[in-house]
Amino acid sequence: RHAPCDLNEVIGAAVALLRRDAQRRGIALELSLAPGVPPVLADAVLIEQVVINLVRNAADALQARESDRRITVVSRVAGDFVRVDVCDNGPGLAGRRVEQLCAPFYSTKSDGMGMGLAICRSIVEAHQGVLDASEAPGGGALFSFSLPRSRELIHG
């Protein structure tokens, strides 16, 4: 069910679920949420699952680092969209593009099923959004998704 939702609240709830595990794994999990982010028309539970999956993937990638493990989750307005970035300082994408990473059954993890990012992409696209991946500035990976601001709320 799509309803107007506050993306910052969705991100906060997702991160709250993962914070204890991140601390246990020695990962600094930081939020940088833009104030006044407009509502998006979304299924909050599904979008929360996308955030959880992206943060968990980042945490898994950071296991290769000895120390200074960081994940930052950022929200911001980008025109008619609200953008969410999940950035880590892990090993990066090693030249892999988002199409390969989101392909069903493709995994970089030895015990991975290869469905997490494929499902995330499907959820984001079902919300008329876009999922992307790139190398993070300074090293690591940057996964982002953008969702359109709710039209009814913009023009209503």
Side-chain angles (χ1 to χ4, degrees):
R1 272 208 278 255
H2 293 115
C5 69
D6 180 334
L7 210 44
N8 284 346
E9 285 182 15
V10 172
I11 294 166
V15 169
L17 292 171
L18 301 171
R19 194 165 293 283
R20 179 171 283 144
D21 182 57
Q23 288 171 339
R24 185 181 55 75
R25 294 167 83 171
I27 298 169
L29 186 50
E30 303 165 3
L31 290 177
S32 179
L33 306 180
V37 169
V40 295
L41 201 56
D43 182 324
V45 172
L46 290 177
I47 299 304
E48 183 179 62
Q49 287 301 309
V50 171
V51 174
I52 287 170
N53 191 296
L54 295 178
V55 172
R56 278 191 178 145
N57 283 355
D60 290 345
L62 288 173
Q63 291 311 113
R65 273 186 81 93
E66 291 292 318
S67 61
D68 186 34
R69 299 174 178 154
R70 285 187 321 277
I71 300 170
T72 305
V73 184
V74 178
S75 71
R76 69 175 186 271
V77 177
D80 284 343
F81 290 83
V82 177
R83 180 176 163 134
V84 177
D85 294 334
V86 177
C87 186
D88 67 60
N89 64 337
L93 302 179
R96 294 182 291 262
R97 298 174 44 85
V98 71
E99 293 79 15
Q100 179 182 6
L101 294 166
C102 291
F105 308 111
Y106 177 81
S107 180
T108 60
K109 303 174 196 173
S110 61
D111 61 346
M113 291 176 47
M115 293 305 293
L117 287 174
I119 292 168
C120 287
R121 187 179 211 178
S122 294
I123 290 169
V124 169
E125 289 176 354
H127 286 79
Q128 285 73 52
V130 177
L131 177 72
D132 200 10
S134 61
E135 296 290 339
L142 170 63
F143 281 83
S144 63
F145 65 93
S146 298
L147 300 176
R149 295 166 56 167
S150 175
R151 294 272 175 233
E152 298 88 61
L153 300 169
I154 294 172
H155 302 295

